Amino acid sequence: MEGTRPVVGLSSYREPATWGLWSASADLLPTSYARAVEAAGGVPLLLPPTTPYGDAARAVVARLDGLVVSGGADVDPEQYGEERHPTVTTTRPDRDAWELALLDAAEERGLPVLGVCRGMQLMAVRAGGRLVQHLPDVVGHAGHDPGGDAYGSVTARVEPGSRLATLVGDGPEPGHCHHHQAVADHPGFTPVAWAPDGTLEAMELPGDRFCLAVQWHPEEGTDSTSDAALLAGLVAAAHAFAAPDTGNPTS
């Protein structure tokens, strides 16, 4: 990619971690996210939860060219006014608040955004939607979440003519999946991909702004043509956003 490389923010985990001689709370994210952005021509920047959330989000988004809302723990059902399903045992309210603030600031600035897995779910909740709290209750199988640290595999039927289709085609390679929840309602977003069992696999915002979310993990499959194209699409949108002729500052 010619010219200045766009800076893409990656929302990150805050979790207990162990490395070397140390065991402590750490701000981290699987390396695959950063490598995927780097391979697409961007510069990755980790974004740990930072208070006060609104002020911090506006400050950092002003310096970004693109944003990835990454995967992770379940969104707290309180965010969409429901009681917890028994399987929802791990939530991160600080991360919910931080990423919601990042999405608010990104919308104010018109920043390109890609949501991944939990990121897609949070984007739907922010828009006033709700989630299927335990997908096996609806689809009758656990194929979307094989358990442990393994990824499942999912195929998706993509809506022809959608932004997603222009990036990955109507029949992309199977994606890596690891989730027991899914988007049920998504006000303002257009559904653009579905698994064979009907699970919503992608949604996008109508209009010119790059605001797209997928339920699978493209950062884990960037050696495939379609996953690489999805990350390349985000980075290309970030590059265009940063270009001087758009009226936005270069990064």
Side-chain angles (χ1 to χ4, degrees):
M1 182 175 292
E2 296 180 356
T4 303
R5 295 174 64 188
V7 177
V8 177
L10 305 170
S11 65
S12 63
Y13 301 58
R14 176 162 289 168
E15 299 286 346
T18 300
W19 67 100
L21 300 174
W22 304 98
S23 294
S25 177
D27 295 325
L28 51 87
L29 192 67
T31 302
S32 53
Y33 283 95
R35 285 182 173 164
V37 169
E38 181 183 6
V43 177
L45 177 67
L46 295 192
L47 306 176
T50 304
T51 57
Y53 298 120
D55 289 346
R58 285 188 292 273
V60 73
V61 164
R63 294 163 170 82
L64 296 177
D65 305 312
L67 172 67
V68 175
V69 185
S70 58
D74 292 339
V75 177
D76 192 331
E78 288 188 1
Q79 293 287 348
Y80 48 100
E82 291 189 5
E83 298 293 325
R84 287 179 182 239
H85 187 280
T87 61
V88 180
T89 58
T90 303
T91 58
R92 295 290 183 269
D94 61 334
R95 191 171 167 196
D96 289 351
W98 171 236
E99 291 176 343
L100 288 168
L102 287 172
L103 287 168
D104 286 345
E107 182 178 33
E108 290 173 6
R109 194 166 177 239
L111 197 72
V113 172
L114 174 65
V116 172
C117 195
R118 165 197 156 87
M120 172 173 164
Q121 296 167 8
L122 190 71
M123 288 165 70
V125 168
R126 176 181 174 271
R130 61 185 182 85
L131 305 181
V132 176
Q133 289 197 46
H134 192 54
L135 191 55
D137 290 347
V138 175
V139 299
H141 65 84
H144 294 273
D145 181 7
D149 61 357
Y151 283 96
S153 179
V154 62
T155 58
R157 174 178 62 84
V158 177
E159 182 68 23
S162 63
R163 181 188 295 274
L164 180 63
T166 66
L167 297 172
V168 305
D170 297 343
E173 294 99 334
H176 294 71
C177 62
H178 193 291
H179 62 100
H180 80 109
Q181 300 195 321
V183 171
D185 299 317
H186 42 79
F189 285 92
T190 301
V192 292
W194 302 263
D197 61 15
T199 300
L200 184 63
E201 290 292 332
M203 63 186 194
E204 61 188 41
L205 200 65
D208 294 334
R209 179 187 171 210
F210 188 107
C211 187
L212 173 63
V214 296
Q215 188 59 72
W216 69 89
H217 284 264
E219 79 285 356
E220 294 294 333
T222 50
D223 55 342
S224 75
T225 302
S226 57
D227 281 336
L230 185 54
L231 270 299
L234 171 68
V235 171
H239 187 267
F241 181 83
D245 60 2
T246 67
N248 293 301
T250 56
S251 297

mmCIF file of all heavy atoms in Angstrom, residues 92-128:
data_model
loop_
_atom_site.group_PDB
_atom_site.id
_atom_site.type_symbol
_atom_site.label_atom_id
_atom_site.label_comp_id
_atom_site.label_asym_id
_atom_site.label_seq_id
_atom_site.Cartn_x
_atom_site.Cartn_y
_atom_site.Cartn_z
ATOM 1 N N ARG A 92 -17.592 -9.062 30.983
ATOM 2 C CA ARG A 92 -16.595 -8.024 31.288
ATOM 3 C C ARG A 92 -17.264 -6.660 31.131
ATOM 4 O O ARG A 92 -17.165 -6.022 30.083
ATOM 5 C CB ARG A 92 -15.386 -8.138 30.348
ATOM 6 C CG ARG A 92 -14.579 -9.420 30.515
ATOM 7 C CD ARG A 92 -13.830 -9.418 31.844
ATOM 8 N NE ARG A 92 -12.979 -10.598 32.004
ATOM 9 C CZ ARG A 92 -13.362 -11.724 32.570
ATOM 10 N NH1 ARG A 92 -14.612 -11.830 33.033
ATOM 11 N NH2 ARG A 92 -12.539 -12.736 32.693
ATOM 12 N N PRO A 93 -17.957 -6.182 32.181
ATOM 13 C CA PRO A 93 -18.657 -4.893 32.077
ATOM 14 C C PRO A 93 -17.752 -3.730 31.709
ATOM 15 O O PRO A 93 -18.182 -2.804 31.006
ATOM 16 C CB PRO A 93 -19.268 -4.713 33.479
ATOM 17 C CG PRO A 93 -19.421 -6.104 34.001
ATOM 18 C CD PRO A 93 -18.238 -6.857 33.462
ATOM 19 N N ASP A 94 -16.496 -3.763 32.164
ATOM 20 C CA ASP A 94 -15.580 -2.676 31.808
ATOM 21 C C ASP A 94 -15.305 -2.673 30.310
ATOM 22 O O ASP A 94 -15.260 -1.611 29.670
ATOM 23 C CB ASP A 94 -14.273 -2.775 32.590
ATOM 24 C CG ASP A 94 -13.489 -4.060 32.336
ATOM 25 O OD1 ASP A 94 -14.112 -5.088 31.973
ATOM 26 O OD2 ASP A 94 -12.251 -4.050 32.516
ATOM 27 N N ARG A 95 -15.167 -3.839 29.750
ATOM 28 C CA ARG A 95 -14.926 -3.915 28.313
ATOM 29 C C ARG A 95 -16.178 -3.530 27.520
ATOM 30 O O ARG A 95 -16.077 -2.863 26.484
ATOM 31 C CB ARG A 95 -14.463 -5.327 27.948
ATOM 32 C CG ARG A 95 -13.941 -5.376 26.534
ATOM 33 C CD ARG A 95 -13.283 -6.695 26.205
ATOM 34 N NE ARG A 95 -13.107 -6.758 24.759
ATOM 35 C CZ ARG A 95 -12.852 -7.852 24.078
ATOM 36 N NH1 ARG A 95 -12.732 -9.000 24.709
ATOM 37 N NH2 ARG A 95 -12.719 -7.812 22.778
ATOM 38 N N ASP A 96 -17.350 -3.947 28.000
ATOM 39 C CA ASP A 96 -18.596 -3.519 27.346
ATOM 40 C C ASP A 96 -18.653 -1.992 27.268
ATOM 41 O O ASP A 96 -18.907 -1.416 26.207
ATOM 42 C CB ASP A 96 -19.818 -4.014 28.118
ATOM 43 C CG ASP A 96 -20.032 -5.516 28.024
ATOM 44 O OD1 ASP A 96 -19.347 -6.183 27.220
ATOM 45 O OD2 ASP A 96 -20.893 -6.024 28.768
ATOM 46 N N ALA A 97 -18.409 -1.343 28.404
ATOM 47 C CA ALA A 97 -18.510 0.119 28.459
ATOM 48 C C ALA A 97 -17.475 0.775 27.558
ATOM 49 O O ALA A 97 -17.763 1.762 26.858
ATOM 50 C CB ALA A 97 -18.339 0.595 29.903
ATOM 51 N N TRP A 98 -16.259 0.242 27.554
ATOM 52 C CA TRP A 98 -15.181 0.804 26.742
ATOM 53 C C TRP A 98 -15.484 0.675 25.260
ATOM 54 O O TRP A 98 -15.368 1.640 24.499
ATOM 55 C CB TRP A 98 -13.873 0.116 27.106
ATOM 56 C CG TRP A 98 -12.697 0.403 26.234
ATOM 57 C CD1 TRP A 98 -11.933 -0.508 25.574
ATOM 58 C CD2 TRP A 98 -12.091 1.679 25.973
ATOM 59 N NE1 TRP A 98 -10.902 0.110 24.908
ATOM 60 C CE2 TRP A 98 -10.975 1.466 25.137
ATOM 61 C CE3 TRP A 98 -12.386 2.982 26.363
ATOM 62 C CZ2 TRP A 98 -10.162 2.486 24.676
ATOM 63 C CZ3 TRP A 98 -11.570 4.018 25.906
ATOM 64 C CH2 TRP A 98 -10.483 3.771 25.072
ATOM 65 N N GLU A 99 -15.883 -0.506 24.840
ATOM 66 C CA GLU A 99 -16.128 -0.720 23.416
ATOM 67 C C GLU A 99 -17.372 0.019 22.931
ATOM 68 O O GLU A 99 -17.409 0.484 21.783
ATOM 69 C CB GLU A 99 -16.212 -2.210 23.118
ATOM 70 C CG GLU A 99 -14.864 -2.891 23.272
ATOM 71 C CD GLU A 99 -14.897 -4.388 23.084
ATOM 72 O OE1 GLU A 99 -15.996 -4.979 23.145
ATOM 73 O OE2 GLU A 99 -13.815 -4.973 22.888
ATOM 74 N N LEU A 100 -18.370 0.146 23.775
ATOM 75 C CA LEU A 100 -19.530 0.971 23.407
ATOM 76 C C LEU A 100 -19.104 2.423 23.209
ATOM 77 O O LEU A 100 -19.554 3.085 22.271
ATOM 78 C CB LEU A 100 -20.623 0.858 24.468
ATOM 79 C CG LEU A 100 -21.362 -0.477 24.511
ATOM 80 C CD1 LEU A 100 -22.211 -0.574 25.776
ATOM 81 C CD2 LEU A 100 -22.239 -0.661 23.273
ATOM 82 N N ALA A 101 -18.216 2.900 24.078
ATOM 83 C CA ALA A 101 -17.712 4.269 23.925
ATOM 84 C C ALA A 101 -16.880 4.408 22.659
ATOM 85 O O ALA A 101 -16.957 5.427 21.951
ATOM 86 C CB ALA A 101 -16.893 4.663 25.156
ATOM 87 N N LEU A 102 -16.060 3.392 22.343
ATOM 88 C CA LEU A 102 -15.289 3.422 21.100
ATOM 89 C C LEU A 102 -16.211 3.477 19.883
ATOM 90 O O LEU A 102 -15.964 4.231 18.928
ATOM 91 C CB LEU A 102 -14.388 2.192 21.001
ATOM 92 C CG LEU A 102 -13.166 2.140 21.912
ATOM 93 C CD1 LEU A 102 -12.504 0.764 21.824
ATOM 94 C CD2 LEU A 102 -12.164 3.234 21.557
ATOM 95 N N LEU A 103 -17.283 2.698 19.901
ATOM 96 C CA LEU A 103 -18.221 2.693 18.787
ATOM 97 C C LEU A 103 -18.944 4.031 18.669
ATOM 98 O O LEU A 103 -19.199 4.515 17.556
ATOM 99 C CB LEU A 103 -19.218 1.544 18.945
ATOM 100 C CG LEU A 103 -18.645 0.147 18.682
ATOM 101 C CD1 LEU A 103 -19.618 -0.931 19.156
ATOM 102 C CD2 LEU A 103 -18.329 -0.027 17.202
ATOM 103 N N ASP A 104 -19.283 4.638 19.812
ATOM 104 C CA ASP A 104 -19.904 5.973 19.773
ATOM 105 C C ASP A 104 -18.967 6.975 19.108
ATOM 106 O O ASP A 104 -19.370 7.746 18.230
ATOM 107 C CB ASP A 104 -20.234 6.447 21.196
ATOM 108 C CG ASP A 104 -21.428 5.734 21.810
ATOM 109 O OD1 ASP A 104 -22.183 5.073 21.066
ATOM 110 O OD2 ASP A 104 -21.587 5.836 23.045
ATOM 111 N N ALA A 105 -17.711 6.964 19.548
ATOM 112 C CA ALA A 105 -16.745 7.917 19.010
ATOM 113 C C ALA A 105 -16.466 7.637 17.535
ATOM 114 O O ALA A 105 -16.293 8.570 16.738
ATOM 115 C CB ALA A 105 -15.440 7.854 19.818
ATOM 116 N N ALA A 106 -16.419 6.366 17.166
ATOM 117 C CA ALA A 106 -16.186 6.009 15.765
ATOM 118 C C ALA A 106 -17.333 6.487 14.882
ATOM 119 O O ALA A 106 -17.106 6.976 13.769
ATOM 120 C CB ALA A 106 -16.013 4.499 15.639
ATOM 121 N N GLU A 107 -18.557 6.358 15.370
ATOM 122 C CA GLU A 107 -19.703 6.829 14.591
ATOM 123 C C GLU A 107 -19.662 8.350 14.437
ATOM 124 O O GLU A 107 -19.927 8.877 13.340
ATOM 125 C CB GLU A 107 -21.011 6.413 15.255
ATOM 126 C CG GLU A 107 -22.243 6.835 14.474
ATOM 127 C CD GLU A 107 -23.528 6.382 15.112
ATOM 128 O OE1 GLU A 107 -23.598 6.313 16.357
ATOM 129 O OE2 GLU A 107 -24.478 6.099 14.367
ATOM 130 N N GLU A 108 -19.316 9.054 15.506
ATOM 131 C CA GLU A 108 -19.231 10.518 15.437
ATOM 132 C C GLU A 108 -18.235 10.959 14.373
ATOM 133 O O GLU A 108 -18.446 11.954 13.681
ATOM 134 C CB GLU A 108 -18.809 11.078 16.798
ATOM 135 C CG GLU A 108 -19.860 10.964 17.883
ATOM 136 C CD GLU A 108 -19.330 11.379 19.249
ATOM 137 O OE1 GLU A 108 -18.176 11.859 19.315
ATOM 138 O OE2 GLU A 108 -20.064 11.224 20.246
ATOM 139 N N ARG A 109 -17.164 10.206 14.215
ATOM 140 C CA ARG A 109 -16.100 10.594 13.283
ATOM 141 C C ARG A 109 -16.250 9.942 11.911
ATOM 142 O O ARG A 109 -15.569 10.320 10.972
ATOM 143 C CB ARG A 109 -14.748 10.220 13.893
ATOM 144 C CG ARG A 109 -13.572 10.861 13.175
ATOM 145 C CD ARG A 109 -12.292 10.780 13.952
ATOM 146 N NE ARG A 109 -11.219 11.357 13.148
ATOM 147 C CZ ARG A 109 -10.117 10.724 12.765
ATOM 148 N NH1 ARG A 109 -9.907 9.472 13.129
ATOM 149 N NH2 ARG A 109 -9.212 11.331 12.015
ATOM 150 N N GLY A 110 -17.147 8.961 11.793
ATOM 151 C CA GLY A 110 -17.293 8.258 10.532
ATOM 152 C C GLY A 110 -16.182 7.268 10.261
ATOM 153 O O GLY A 110 -15.885 6.947 9.110
ATOM 154 N N LEU A 111 -15.574 6.741 11.317
ATOM 155 C CA LEU A 111 -14.415 5.862 11.214
ATOM 156 C C LEU A 111 -14.811 4.485 10.663
ATOM 157 O O LEU A 111 -15.847 3.944 11.041
ATOM 158 C CB LEU A 111 -13.801 5.684 12.602
ATOM 159 C CG LEU A 111 -12.380 5.149 12.696
ATOM 160 C CD1 LEU A 111 -11.376 6.197 12.249
ATOM 161 C CD2 LEU A 111 -12.082 4.711 14.135
ATOM 162 N N PRO A 112 -14.010 3.893 9.788
ATOM 163 C CA PRO A 112 -14.270 2.516 9.347
ATOM 164 C C PRO A 112 -14.176 1.548 10.530
ATOM 165 O O PRO A 112 -13.262 1.647 11.357
ATOM 166 C CB PRO A 112 -13.160 2.239 8.334
ATOM 167 C CG PRO A 112 -12.738 3.592 7.844
ATOM 168 C CD PRO A 112 -12.880 4.497 9.033
ATOM 169 N N VAL A 113 -15.120 0.608 10.598
ATOM 170 C CA VAL A 113 -15.194 -0.329 11.723
ATOM 171 C C VAL A 113 -15.444 -1.741 11.209
ATOM 172 O O VAL A 113 -16.270 -1.954 10.317
ATOM 173 C CB VAL A 113 -16.323 0.063 12.699
ATOM 174 C CG1 VAL A 113 -16.539 -1.020 13.755
ATOM 175 C CG2 VAL A 113 -16.023 1.392 13.379
ATOM 176 N N LEU A 114 -14.735 -2.695 11.806
ATOM 177 C CA LEU A 114 -14.991 -4.116 11.593
ATOM 178 C C LEU A 114 -15.244 -4.756 12.949
ATOM 179 O O LEU A 114 -14.411 -4.657 13.854
ATOM 180 C CB LEU A 114 -13.796 -4.786 10.918
ATOM 181 C CG LEU A 114 -13.885 -6.311 10.766
ATOM 182 C CD1 LEU A 114 -15.020 -6.713 9.832
ATOM 183 C CD2 LEU A 114 -12.553 -6.892 10.280
ATOM 184 N N GLY A 115 -16.377 -5.423 13.102
ATOM 185 C CA GLY A 115 -16.679 -6.180 14.312
ATOM 186 C C GLY A 115 -16.409 -7.652 14.093
ATOM 187 O O GLY A 115 -16.745 -8.192 13.036
ATOM 188 N N VAL A 116 -15.798 -8.314 15.085
ATOM 189 C CA VAL A 116 -15.468 -9.730 14.989
ATOM 190 C C VAL A 116 -16.105 -10.480 16.149
ATOM 191 O O VAL A 116 -15.839 -10.163 17.316
ATOM 192 C CB VAL A 116 -13.940 -9.939 15.008
ATOM 193 C CG1 VAL A 116 -13.597 -11.425 15.095
ATOM 194 C CG2 VAL A 116 -13.290 -9.312 13.785
ATOM 195 N N CYS A 117 -16.967 -11.446 15.863
ATOM 196 C CA CYS A 117 -17.593 -12.318 16.846
ATOM 197 C C CYS A 117 -18.307 -11.500 17.937
ATOM 198 O O CYS A 117 -19.349 -10.921 17.680
ATOM 199 C CB CYS A 117 -16.562 -13.288 17.424
ATOM 200 S SG CYS A 117 -17.291 -14.685 18.305
ATOM 201 N N ARG A 118 -17.740 -11.427 19.144
ATOM 202 C CA ARG A 118 -18.333 -10.587 20.186
ATOM 203 C C ARG A 118 -18.518 -9.153 19.689
ATOM 204 O O ARG A 118 -19.497 -8.479 20.034
ATOM 205 C CB ARG A 118 -17.413 -10.586 21.412
ATOM 206 C CG ARG A 118 -17.722 -9.471 22.420
ATOM 207 C CD ARG A 118 -16.558 -9.232 23.387
ATOM 208 N NE ARG A 118 -16.594 -7.890 23.921
ATOM 209 C CZ ARG A 118 -17.287 -7.543 25.015
ATOM 210 N NH1 ARG A 118 -17.993 -8.438 25.657
ATOM 211 N NH2 ARG A 118 -17.274 -6.287 25.428
ATOM 212 N N GLY A 119 -17.569 -8.677 18.868
ATOM 213 C CA GLY A 119 -17.672 -7.328 18.331
ATOM 214 C C GLY A 119 -18.949 -7.127 17.540
ATOM 215 O O GLY A 119 -19.605 -6.087 17.643
ATOM 216 N N MET A 120 -19.326 -8.112 16.726
ATOM 217 C CA MET A 120 -20.585 -8.047 15.986
ATOM 218 C C MET A 120 -21.761 -8.007 16.956
ATOM 219 O O MET A 120 -22.705 -7.219 16.782
ATOM 220 C CB MET A 120 -20.695 -9.253 15.065
ATOM 221 C CG MET A 120 -22.053 -9.386 14.377
ATOM 222 S SD MET A 120 -22.037 -10.714 13.154
ATOM 223 C CE MET A 120 -23.800 -10.946 12.898
ATOM 224 N N GLN A 121 -21.715 -8.836 17.981
ATOM 225 C CA GLN A 121 -22.809 -8.890 18.941
ATOM 226 C C GLN A 121 -22.958 -7.559 19.680
ATOM 227 O O GLN A 121 -24.079 -7.062 19.877
ATOM 228 C CB GLN A 121 -22.568 -10.044 19.912
ATOM 229 C CG GLN A 121 -22.590 -11.408 19.228
ATOM 230 C CD GLN A 121 -22.050 -12.527 20.090
ATOM 231 O OE1 GLN A 121 -21.782 -12.335 21.284
ATOM 232 N NE2 GLN A 121 -21.867 -13.703 19.504
ATOM 233 N N LEU A 122 -21.846 -6.969 20.084
ATOM 234 C CA LEU A 122 -21.908 -5.696 20.794
ATOM 235 C C LEU A 122 -22.433 -4.587 19.879
ATOM 236 O O LEU A 122 -23.191 -3.715 20.319
ATOM 237 C CB LEU A 122 -20.535 -5.318 21.340
ATOM 238 C CG LEU A 122 -20.537 -4.129 22.301
ATOM 239 C CD1 LEU A 122 -21.173 -4.521 23.628
ATOM 240 C CD2 LEU A 122 -19.139 -3.589 22.537
ATOM 241 N N MET A 123 -22.049 -4.608 18.615
ATOM 242 C CA MET A 123 -22.544 -3.606 17.668
ATOM 243 C C MET A 123 -24.060 -3.705 17.520
ATOM 244 O O MET A 123 -24.758 -2.688 17.453
ATOM 245 C CB MET A 123 -21.847 -3.779 16.323
ATOM 246 C CG MET A 123 -20.383 -3.329 16.347
ATOM 247 S SD MET A 123 -19.395 -3.888 14.926
ATOM 248 C CE MET A 123 -20.120 -2.898 13.603
ATOM 249 N N ALA A 124 -24.592 -4.927 17.496
ATOM 250 C CA ALA A 124 -26.041 -5.108 17.419
ATOM 251 C C ALA A 124 -26.726 -4.604 18.685
ATOM 252 O O ALA A 124 -27.761 -3.931 18.630
ATOM 253 C CB ALA A 124 -26.369 -6.576 17.183
ATOM 254 N N VAL A 125 -26.140 -4.922 19.840
ATOM 255 C CA VAL A 125 -26.718 -4.478 21.112
ATOM 256 C C VAL A 125 -26.703 -2.955 21.207
ATOM 257 O O VAL A 125 -27.679 -2.337 21.633
ATOM 258 C CB VAL A 125 -25.957 -5.121 22.289
ATOM 259 C CG1 VAL A 125 -26.343 -4.465 23.614
ATOM 260 C CG2 VAL A 125 -26.246 -6.619 22.339
ATOM 261 N N ARG A 126 -25.604 -2.347 20.804
ATOM 262 C CA ARG A 126 -25.524 -0.874 20.834
ATOM 263 C C ARG A 126 -26.620 -0.244 19.987
ATOM 264 O O ARG A 126 -27.151 0.821 20.328
ATOM 265 C CB ARG A 126 -24.151 -0.415 20.332
ATOM 266 C CG ARG A 126 -24.016 1.099 20.231
ATOM 267 C CD ARG A 126 -22.654 1.518 19.698
ATOM 268 N NE ARG A 126 -22.621 2.964 19.492
ATOM 269 C CZ ARG A 126 -22.979 3.561 18.363
ATOM 270 N NH1 ARG A 126 -23.388 2.833 17.318
ATOM 271 N NH2 ARG A 126 -22.934 4.875 18.255
ATOM 272 N N ALA A 127 -26.967 -0.900 18.887
ATOM 273 C CA ALA A 127 -27.992 -0.369 17.990
ATOM 274 C C ALA A 127 -29.408 -0.582 18.525
ATOM 275 O O ALA A 127 -30.374 -0.144 17.885
ATOM 276 C CB ALA A 127 -27.859 -1.025 16.619
ATOM 277 N N GLY A 128 -29.532 -1.238 19.676
ATOM 278 C CA GLY A 128 -30.849 -1.501 20.246
ATOM 279 C C GLY A 128 -31.332 -2.915 20.032
ATOM 280 O O GLY A 128 -32.497 -3.229 20.314
#
